[in-house]
Amino acid sequence: AAMRHLPYFCRGEVVKGFGRGSKELGIPTANFSEQVVESFPSDISTGIYYGWACVGNGDVHKMVLSIGWNPFYKNFKKSVETHIIHTFKEDFYGEILSIVIIGYIRPEKNFDSLEALISAIQEDIEEAKRQLDLPEHLKLKEDNFFHLPEGKILNNH
Ligand code: ADP
Ligand code: MG
């Protein structure tokens, strides 16, 4: 069921999250607006996914993505958060993030400790890196979706 909607292409503005402190953990997650999240298939599984991501018309990088229940809305609404596997010089709130979600890694889990959470995410990142090096996944990195003229990116979020 998780795979039915994949690959899933999506573009939208990066908004302020709800301060889970992802950046403090060394794993910042770029959050999509509620409007973009609402446009997702309503039956898409929560959990951790991998794929490709690009900020503005920058380079395309590997990413891990979480689709989860948004505590800000008492878990009635989903949140979609992308951790791009790249070190950026600056934050990019307000910029357009383009992603293609390719594969599912695992369902959401609760962890006993912060250490356990962080090490699970590190494993997710390693799994994403391995998967995305496969030829069938590498080819989506070159997809035209990531190479639109600038005006189109802005109008087509
Ligand atoms: P918030 O709760 O506002 O989402 P986070 O701690 O999750 O805060 O940090 C997310 C922000 O960090 C992103 O919106 C983006 O501007 C910035 N950022 C910097 N590097 C990355 C990265 N590699 N992946 C995702 N976001 C990043
Ligand atoms: Mg975040």
Side-chain angles (χ1 to χ4, degrees), residues 2-3 15 30 46 48 51 59 62 120 129-130 134 141 144 154:
M3 300 297 289
V15 302
T46 59
I48 311 300
D59 294 337
K62 294 174 177 178
K129 287 181 179 170
R130 275 194 300 274
L134 299 174
K141 184 184 184 183
N144 277 334
L154 291 172

Side-chain angles (χ1 to χ4, degrees), residues 20 34 63 121:
R20 271 178 174 164
E34 192 188 323
M63 63 79 163
I121 296 170

Side-chain angles (χ1 to χ4, degrees), residues 131-156:
Q131 289 288 337
L132 290 163
D133 280 335
L134 299 174
E136 74 253 42
H137 295 148
L138 266 173
K139 75 174 190 248
L140 277 166
K141 184 184 184 183
E142 311 301 330
D143 196 278
N144 277 334
F145 179 72
F146 292 118
H147 300 290
L148 290 169
E150 207 170 334
K152 228 172 177 176
I153 288 182
L154 291 172
N155 296 331
N156 195 31

Side-chain angles (χ1 to χ4, degrees), residues 15-20 22-23 27-31 81-82 93:
V15 302
K16 201 91 187 101
F18 30 86
R20 271 178 174 164
S22 320
K23 204 176 287 168
I27 314 150
T29 60
N31 292 51
E81 307 185 23
T82 304
Y93 290 110

Side-chain angles (χ1 to χ4, degrees), residues 2-22:
M3 300 297 289
R4 183 172 53 227
H5 299 289
L6 307 185
Y8 188 77
F9 292 84
C10 173
R11 192 167 3 250
E13 192 183 334
V14 176
V15 302
K16 201 91 187 101
F18 30 86
R20 271 178 174 164
S22 320

Side-chain angles (χ1 to χ4, degrees), residues 17-74:
F18 30 86
R20 271 178 174 164
S22 320
K23 204 176 287 168
E24 287 70 31
L25 304 183
I27 314 150
T29 60
N31 292 51
F32 279 128
S33 68
E34 192 188 323
Q35 192 191 340
V36 171
V37 176
E38 302 257 295
S39 72
F40 271 61
S42 58
D43 62 342
I44 198 164
S45 303
T46 59
I48 311 300
Y49 294 79
Y50 61 84
W52 298 104
C54 143
V55 177
N57 50 16
D59 294 337
V60 181
H61 300 287
K62 294 174 177 178
M63 63 79 163
V64 288
L65 172 130
S66 111
I67 300 179
W69 294 107
N70 190 331
F72 189 78
Y73 294 101
K74 299 198 158 67

